[in-house]
Structure formats: C-alpha cells, structure tokens
Amino acid sequence: MKALFLNCTLKASPQTSNTEVLTREVMTAFEEEGVATDLIRVVDHNLKPGVSSDEGNGDEWPGIRAGILDSDILVIATPTWMAQPPSTAKRVLERMDAMMTETDDEGRPVAYNRVAGVIVTGNEDGAHHVISEIAGALVDLGFTIPGQAWTYWNGGPGPGPSYLEADHGKDWSLKTGRQAARNLIAVARALADKPMTMG
C-alpha cells in the first residue's frame, strides 16, 4: 500500500517548511503500519495553469498525477494564508479537475477506491475552513474521505510563532495525525478488499 503526500507550502526547497515538518511526523505513523510513503513539494515543480492532465511545454503535472494514481492514499498538506489554502494547493485542485471525466479500465472515475486526507498548519485560524475546501473538492473527484482524516496546527489569531517555533499544541496535532493515519489506512484496506463498482 502507498501513500502520497503533496506539500503545498509556498517555500521552495531547501527552505524550511513548517508544513513539511508536521507532514513528516504524520508520515511516520503510516510507515509504522507498513505503508510506503512519498512526499512531493509542489512548488518545486512547474505546474502550468489549466484543467487538463497535461498542459504541454514543460508541464510537470503529469508526473505528479501519475504518483497520485499509483497510490492508495493521497494527503494534501498545506499552510493557511489569510484563512485560505495557498495558491499551490488551489493549483493542485485545479489540475485535478481533469479527473472528473477520466475513468479506469472498468469505467470508474480514476479517483474511485482511493482515500484522501488533509494536513494544515498556520499561525492564524482557518484550519477547518481549509480542510473543508480541500476535502470537498476531493470528494467531488471521487476520493473517499474517512471520518477524521485530517490534522492541523495553528497558533491562534494574529501573527505569532510558526509550528517549529511554538511550544504548544503539537501533542494534539501529532495525536490527531496518528489517528488520521489509522483511519485512512483502515478505509484504504477495506476498499482494496472490496472495491466500489459502477452500477
């Protein structure tokens, strides 16, 4: 079983990403359950604007899309900016729009029988809003979202320390992240055992 994590930070490598720190901590919970993991920092890739699976001329989305379709579990990890998902997360969702009409060999939407979750960080409130926006889009595409398939950390309203700088709330974020991992794996295994079919 494989899980792909898309880090939608605005910071290009090798800059430190607070979102990636929490994501890697959650990835450990997957690996402890025998799930292979991979992490892609989206901003390091050229994702051209558009809603097709390949916008040509150096577009690097096709490689990321292949990773999504090669995985059983997708987790979108993202910071919060002004209580919104950043442009990188929105670009990912825009490019995934093509999956609405793409089907597998059995005529099912390509996202069927895959599960998805969300990780959010930020020093302002808005985590539940960001989770809802991303999870709602993934459901539209055909992904299955288990109950409590997310975790987040924020430092409360207004400016403040980042995840790495703060000394509060991390235990809750990690505990919730470990539970999200268990929930995602359980549902992914159930779907692998008994896949959804088209009527």
Side-chain angles (χ1 to χ4, degrees):
M1 184 160 284
K2 297 179 182 179
L4 176 65
F5 293 76
L6 298 182
N7 179 6
C8 295
T9 178
L10 295 175
K11 299 172 182 175
S13 297
Q15 295 180 75
T16 299
S17 163
N18 289 279
T19 300
E20 184 165 322
V21 173
L22 178 56
T23 298
R24 287 193 180 276
E25 290 169 340
V26 174
M27 287 170 70
T28 299
F30 283 83
E31 292 160 2
E32 289 171 351
E33 294 292 325
V35 176
T37 63
D38 191 19
L39 175 63
I40 295 173
R41 191 180 289 208
V42 174
V43 75
D44 290 343
H45 299 269
N46 179 23
L47 271 58
K48 302 187 77 172
V51 291
S52 76
S53 286
D54 189 345
E55 292 292 332
N57 296 323
D59 183 22
E60 295 183 45
W61 173 252
I64 296 175
R65 175 185 176 276
I68 293 171
L69 297 183
D70 191 43
S71 301
D72 308 282
I73 300 166
L74 171 66
V75 178
I76 294 183
T78 179
T80 309
W81 292 110
M82 296 187 291
Q84 298 287 326
S87 57
T88 45
K90 292 183 178 182
R91 176 63 54 87
V92 166
L93 295 176
E94 288 167 356
R95 295 306 304 271
M96 291 178 75
D97 182 79
M99 292 181 178
M100 284 270 197
T101 56
E102 295 171 347
T103 56
D104 64 16
D105 292 339
E106 297 183 29
R108 298 172 298 197
V110 292
Y112 264 40
N113 298 308
R114 291 179 171 81
V115 301
V118 187
I119 296 171
V120 178
T121 62
N123 62 12
E124 299 176 45
D125 200 5
H128 281 284
H129 172 74
V130 172
I131 291 165
S132 296
E133 281 203 5
I134 294 173
L138 294 172
V139 166
D140 281 348
L141 292 170
F143 285 90
T144 296
I145 312 290
Q148 207 265 282
W150 47 262
T151 190
Y152 69 86
W153 178 90
N154 70 50
S162 65
Y163 180 76
L164 279 171
E165 298 165 340
D167 58 3
H168 70 277
K170 292 182 180 179
D171 288 345
W172 181 90
S173 298
L174 293 174
K175 179 181 177 182
T176 307
R178 287 191 293 269
Q179 186 61 54
R182 286 191 289 269
N183 295 348
L184 286 160
I185 293 166
V187 174
R189 286 175 174 162
L191 287 171
D193 182 58
K194 192 172 178 60
M196 292 187 290
T197 59
M198 298 297 292

